[in-house]
Structure formats: structure tokens, C-alpha cells
Amino acid sequence: MASVREIARLAGVSTSTVSRALNNDPAVNGATREKVLAVANQSGYVASVGRLVTTNVGFVYAGGETTLGSTFDSALLSGVVRGLEQPKFDVVVINLQRDKSQDENYSQFFRRKGLRGVLVRTAASTRDVCRSIADEHFPMLVVSERFDDENVSFIDCDSHRESIQAMEYLISLGHRRIAFGMHTVPDSNHIDRFAGYKKALEAHGIPYDEKLIFRQNASFSGGASAVKMMMTMAVPPTAVYFADPLLSVGAINVAHETGIRIPENLAVVGFDDADIRHSVYPTMTAVCQDAARLGYEAALELTRMIRENGGTRIQRILPTFLEVNESTGPPGGASVRVPENGSWTPVSPGMTEVHES
Amino acid sequence: MASVREIARLAGVSTSTVSRALNNDPAVNGATREKVLAVANQSGYVASVGRLVTTNVGFVYAGGETTLGSTFDSALLSGVVRGLEQPKFDVVVINLQRDKSQDENYSQFFRRKGLRGVLVRTAASTRDVCRSIADEHFPMLVVSERFDDENVSFIDCDSHRESIQAMEYLISLGHRRIAFGMHTVPDSNHIDRFAGYKKALEAHGIPYDEKLIFRQNASFSGGASAVKMMMTMAVPPTAVYFADPLLSVGAINVAHETGIRIPENLAVVGFDDADIRHSVYPTMTAVCQDAARLGYEAALELTRMIRENGGTRIQRILPTFLEVNESTGPPGGASVRVPENGSWTPVSPGMTEVHES
DNA sequence: CTGAAAGCGCTTACAG
DNA sequence: CTGAAAGCGCTTACAG
């Protein structure tokens, strides 16, 4: 790549003038500036050293896959951007697998990319990457996963408590035979929700029945299959809790097609990590994760770490919330009004201990 | 901020050793490295000059508002990231209003942010910003807007042709009384769709009726209101084309609530810029914009401009497409099968001229 | 393994 | 308005 020296030679001026012209110094003569800029453009000049950008943080996909198109990730990123607004940082989307060379460690790679800190999205298979980054003491925060390791900072949503709450809501409506739908490959979040399902049953003396557990690919058709299967059982459930947004939506839509009435024949509690609960009919009662807020808080925590030069580990859990809409009601469809504000007070608040930190 | 000199003094070593330690030179003694890194961390050392990152491009919101959470923008950005994969660039999300100071021009601002080029998202009120950036000859491409100016590069989707196609599909099913729903504040895209609506009516000798035009805020409730209003007319339409995703979904859902049957009582063609047409019931026939592809192509064009040091202006129009799903059928609900692949061949292909460039 | 010195490319008083 | 020279902070042969 051309240097100021080269541009100076080609334009017939000194390197001082080249530098001034490139930086729009008003002292430079108009014609001179034009000539220098023309030469610079033609030779594709790009400064190779100079004042570094110190306001970039990375939104890093630890695995090869960038899932930026998903509703969850996009809400997350928009929250990150909002959270970086006030600290005046910018976010760079980074695919770790693409560019990191073998002979550099993570800190070096991030420094080479000009990053002051990183928010990390990880899958089960790349948890070691997160540990390594943390071990190198590079400012980092894993978003939407949890670690037992003392030294890995993370921020995550907990849906265990609200899963119990969702189940208690169904039970309070009179349901006893409640199915559960989850992704075939459960991540820690799906496991939390499953645990909440079981815990609520146990607390209310309802026996756990393996036949009511439906594992499907997280897709519309997975939710559709699950509903078809459960409704053709000898004794179908009267309610179901789907621990995944796509399964939930697929379930609600196949109900129309098959003539199953929601909530009269089947009360559905879904899971929502964006706003899809409002785009189906009937609007979906759901355990909701506020992805934008998760991203927002993550951005604030990371910039605080950067400002304070590292310091203490962050291990934060944000709450989810149960929003009651129209897809739930008592078994058989006795008339029940949806509360005005979509909230519902748990029957036995004692068992759903709060642990926002 | 601390310099290598300062770190050297505090750690009791030379600046050479500081530099080596910071860059993980294997020659440095382990204990020395630890000491230097400890000092550097404590004093919050950040290199202030050095080798610049030359692989960043900006995803720039020209106005103050970043609409990254929308389905359109998130699909767009995920396409951009995919398009930057092979040229090995990274994308930085930039809010122009936030950081640009008055005494620097756009090129200077972008150079200060370390950007090699920018993809610009603009609103009607910030079209002048796009013109200025282009005038400064900074590598740029406006995404999802059109300019008559010769020197502003852009890439956009055209929904005019497919709006005509959508209308012809409805007409071919036997509809004559077809309503149109659009956003109250129409952007150039909504205007294109409206023009397509009118052109198709005219081509088939169907009189234009202002009473069948519904302008609503782009929201679920806007779509719901429109449907309620049109279905209580003395002579309701038998079909409607909604030029906006939220209006379309709101329309489909309120139909269930009011007992209106889709497509039997009202055939609905919507507009989709993501994947929402598959999350409603019945699945929505829609004119679809492939936002991810738009972003992908934009990224390829921009990196090509950067590689070739500017050069020619890009003014590219990508096609949209009509996808036939279950929300459309003949008036009164005569039985019609949805084609297997969701495609439909226009009745009079002659009038829908192709202009992909 | 380390430091003094030279070097990197760009920028900036200083002098005219 | 421009250039020669000094300077910026970091890096890197070179010598030990």
C-alpha cells in the first residue's frame, strides 16, 4: 500500500503537504489539495499507522456460526447499541473462527482488531473459548450463557423461576394434565425451563409423566407435530408449556388448521425472546426474555469493566417475566378474563425465590 | 492515558521490553512479562498509535434513530455480515448524529472511526447527508433507498413490479373490489407499491376508488382497524393488498377475532421484509423483500468499491417476489389449491417489465 | 533475555 | 501556503 512518501513523490509535494491535505488542513491551497487527494484516491492510499480507535468493542461469535438474523440476537444487538450510546462506544461484529490465526492468542487477536473489550455469544461447544479469553484477562462478558468458573464473567436471563410461575398459573386455572415441549438439543436455558416444569408439578403433587414431554426440533413444524401428537393421545393434556418461541408459534397455528380451539381445548404457554407473542392469534401467554435489555445491560457492564481496567468478575442474572395473554384459560374453556396489564400474581410466591443480583 | 514510557518506568524495564511484553513476544521472561502486564492493566494502558485496522466498514444510521431491532434491519445486517465474510471485512454500527463533530467533514469522521467505507441507512430527512458523503468521494452505498442524483450510489429493492403482479394474481382469482392498505407516512417504497396497485387496476379496467384506500399507522392495530373499517362498508372489498408487514399481520389476526374468514370473506396479500408471513395463520400470501440478500449484495458492492478505489457509481435495484400462501383465494371461497412452490405465473407478463441491473 | 539506538509512517511546530 | 526538520509513540534489528 502506498505511503505518504509515495503520494508526495507522485503529487510533486512534500510529505507534510500530503499529510495536511489528507487531514483537510484549511491551510492547504485548494488546487494542491485536489491534486494530492486525486493521487491518493487513485493509488488507493490508506493510512497504515496513526492514532488508534479506542472506542470499539466486539460482539463476538465464539463459534463459526453467526446467528445475527435470529430475533433473539437482533434484539440483543439493538440493546447493545443502545447501551453503548452514553459511554460512546461502537460495536464491531466479529466472527472468531474466520480471522484468528493460530499463533496469536485471543487478546492479541482482539487488539489487532482494535477492540477494547468483547461481548461473547457462545454455544455449548465453544465454552472453552470463553474460559481462555477470560484467563487472558481481556475485558469480556459472555452474553446469554452461564459459567460455574469463578473467572468467567457473564450476564444471562433466568427462566427457571418464571417457568414455575407459568406452571402455577396453569395449575391455578385448574389444569392437572400439562404437557411440556422443548428443543431436541437442550441448552442450559431449556434445561432450566424443564426443571421449572418438573418442580412446579412436584410442588403441587402432580405426578410427572414422561409421555407428556415432547422433544422436537425448534421450528414451526416441530411445534405443529407436538400438538398433533399430544391431541391424539388417549387422554390428551389440557395445557402445554412450550419452552421455545418457534415451537410455541407452530403449535398455535396448527391448532387452527386442525380445529383445536385455544385455549378451550388446549391452553398454551409459550416462550418468547422478542415480540412474536403479539403476532399470533390468539396472542400468546408466554414466559418472556427481554433480549434488548440483556444486551443493554451487557454493554453497560462491559464499558464499566473497560473504564475500571478490569477489576471484579461480573456474574449477573436478569429475570424473565410471565405475560398472560389470550392463549391460556381454564380446562374446557370456562370464561376467564385476561388481566388488564398481562400480569398475574403467583399462588404461592414463597417458592419462586428471587435472585436478581 | 499511560504510554509505554510510563509503563516502563513503573515496571522498571525499558520501553522495548514493555512493547515486547504487550505483544506477547516469546523472548520475554515470564516474570518480566507478568510484571509489565500487571502494571499495564492497573494503569489502564491502551496503545494510542500503531498499526491501523483497515478492515472495518460502517453500518451507518444517517439520522439519530438506530432501528436495528426491526426485522428488516436485522435481516439486512445479517446479510451484510455474511457478505463481508469472504472479503474479510468487519462491520461497525455507527450512529452519525452521536459522534460527528461540527468541524470535521464526513470523510474525516469516518477515517477517525477507522472505516474504509460505509453502508448508509437513511430516512427522508437525511437524504442530504447521503449526498454530502457521496460528494466527498468516501466509499459509500445507501441501502434501501433510491436517489436520482448521478453521484449517490445505492442499492434498493423494487416492489412496484411485484405489487402489480400481486394485484394481477388477485384479479385472476376473480376479485374486482380490492382495497389497499398503507402507512400514513409513505416512504418511497410504499409509494411504489401504491403505484403498482393503481397501475394494475387501470390495466384491467377496474375503476380506482379512493374509499378503498386505508392509511394507518404501521402497526398491528393499524391493520386491525383497517380490516374492521373495510368489512363494515356498505359493499366491502373481497380482497386487500397491505403494503406493510405490521398492517398485514394485524389484519390477519383481527379477522379471527371478528369471525371474518380468510381467504373466504377477505383475501389478503401482505408485504413481508422478513419471515413473518409464515408465523401467522393462515400463512400469508405476500410481496416479499429479501432483506438479507439486499445486505449481502450491499456488502459485496461496497467491498468491491473499496478494493477498486472508488470508481463507478453503483445504482442497483433488486427484485422482490410474490409468494403465494394460504391467505388468498377466490371471492366467496371457491376451492383453489396453493401451488406447491408458492410461485404464480402472471397473467400478462408483458406489463411487468424486469429491471434488475 | 534485555536495553540503547535506530526505525516505522505519520504529524506538527517552525521558518520563510 | 509550503517544506525541512523535529517529534509522536510504538516497534525492531542489533549487540551483548
Side-chain angles (χ1 to χ4, degrees), chain B residues 88-349:
Chain B
K88 299 218 171 204
F89 274 79
D90 297 300
V91 64
V92 189
V93 179
I94 297 282
N95 178 340
L96 196 52
Q97 303 305 314
R98 193 188 74 185
D99 293 340
K100 184 177 165 300
S101 79
Q102 290 302 335
D103 38 291
E104 64 187 347
N105 61 25
Y106 293 102
S107 323
Q108 284 177 296
F109 170 66
F110 294 140
R111 217 175 298 133
R112 178 162 68 81
K113 287 281 185 184
L115 306 175
R116 293 289 303 282
V118 290
L119 297 172
V120 185
R121 288 278 289 135
T122 185
S125 59
T126 49
R127 292 174 64 90
D128 276 345
V129 172
C130 302
R131 289 192 191 95
S132 298
I133 298 170
D135 285 347
E136 291 179 21
H137 298 286
F138 194 83
M140 68 93 75
L141 195 60
V142 175
V143 183
S144 197
E145 262 299 332
R146 248 165 283 179
F147 284 77
D148 289 330
D149 312 52
E150 263 310 301
N151 64 337
V152 180
S153 291
F154 63 79
I155 185 165
D156 194 13
C157 279
D158 183 16
S159 45
H160 179 68
R161 185 169 78 101
E162 288 72 18
S163 294
I164 296 174
Q165 200 182 330
M167 288 296 294
E168 300 213 312
Y169 176 59
L170 289 173
I171 293 166
S172 78
L173 289 172
H175 295 279
R176 287 294 173 280
R177 196 160 168 74
I178 306 172
F180 181 73
M182 70 192 295
H183 187 35
T184 32
V185 192
D187 60 14
S188 69
N189 285 315
H190 278 71
I191 291 169
D192 272 0
R193 292 165 208 157
F194 191 24
Y197 167 82
K198 288 193 277 196
K199 189 164 177 183
L201 290 182
E202 194 186 325
H204 290 265
I206 302 174
Y208 171 76
D209 181 353
E210 179 63 36
K211 287 196 288 297
L212 290 176
I213 310 305
F214 295 83
R215 292 182 182 80
Q216 292 283 339
N217 244 320
S219 65
F220 290 159
S221 65
S225 303
V227 165
K228 283 180 185 169
M229 287 191 289
M230 66 183 71
M231 295 312 276
T232 51
M233 289 174 79
V235 186
T238 61
V240 58
Y241 171 33
F242 279 105
D244 175 272
L246 297 179
L247 292 179
S248 321
V249 171
I252 287 186
N253 287 341
V254 79
H256 294 297
E257 197 177 296
T258 53
I260 296 163
R261 292 171 63 210
I262 294 177
E264 293 82 355
N265 306 140
L266 184 69
V268 177
V269 175
F271 190 88
D272 197 359
D273 56 19
D275 204 34
I276 205 165
R277 65 189 176 280
H278 298 125
S279 75
V280 293
Y281 180 84
T283 55
M284 183 168 79
T285 295
V287 175
C288 308
Q289 194 171 25
D290 189 343
R293 181 169 168 225
L294 187 62
Y296 178 81
E297 297 288 345
L300 290 187
E301 293 289 0
L302 182 68
T303 53
R304 203 174 50 69
M305 284 172 78
I306 292 169
R307 227 177 5 257
E308 296 174 3
N309 309 322
T312 53
R313 300 282 165 271
I314 310 287
Q315 306 208 324
R316 238 183 113 183
I317 301 288
L318 298 183
T320 53
F321 58 94
L322 174 67
E323 186 181 289
V324 174
N325 285 302
E326 299 162 341
S327 67
T328 44
S335 158
V336 157
R337 282 310 316 150
V338 172
E340 275 304 313
N341 57 5
S343 73
W344 169 81
T345 310
V347 182
S348 50

Side-chain angles (χ1 to χ4, degrees), chain A residues 196-307:
Chain A
Y197 167 82
K198 287 194 277 197
K199 189 163 178 184
L201 290 182
E202 194 185 327
H204 289 265
I206 302 173
Y208 171 76
D209 181 353
E210 179 64 35
K211 286 197 289 297
L212 289 175
I213 310 304
F214 295 83
R215 291 181 183 81
Q216 293 283 339
N217 244 321
S219 65
F220 290 159
S221 64
S225 303
V227 164
K228 283 180 184 168
M229 288 192 287
M230 66 183 72
M231 296 312 275
T232 50
M233 290 174 78
V235 187
T238 61
V240 57
Y241 172 32
F242 279 105
D244 175 272
L246 297 178
L247 292 179
S248 321
V249 171
I252 287 185
N253 287 340
V254 79
H256 296 296
E257 197 178 297
T258 53
I260 296 162
R261 292 170 63 208
I262 294 177
E264 293 82 355
N265 305 140
L266 184 69
V268 176
V269 175
F271 190 87
D272 196 359
D273 55 20
D275 204 34
I276 207 167
R277 65 191 176 280
H278 298 125
S279 76
V280 293
Y281 181 84
T283 55
M284 182 169 77
T285 294
V287 174
C288 307
Q289 195 171 26
D290 188 342
R293 183 173 165 221
L294 187 61
Y296 178 80
E297 297 288 343
L300 290 187
E301 293 289 0
L302 182 68
T303 52
R304 203 173 50 67
M305 285 171 77
I306 291 169
R307 228 180 0 260

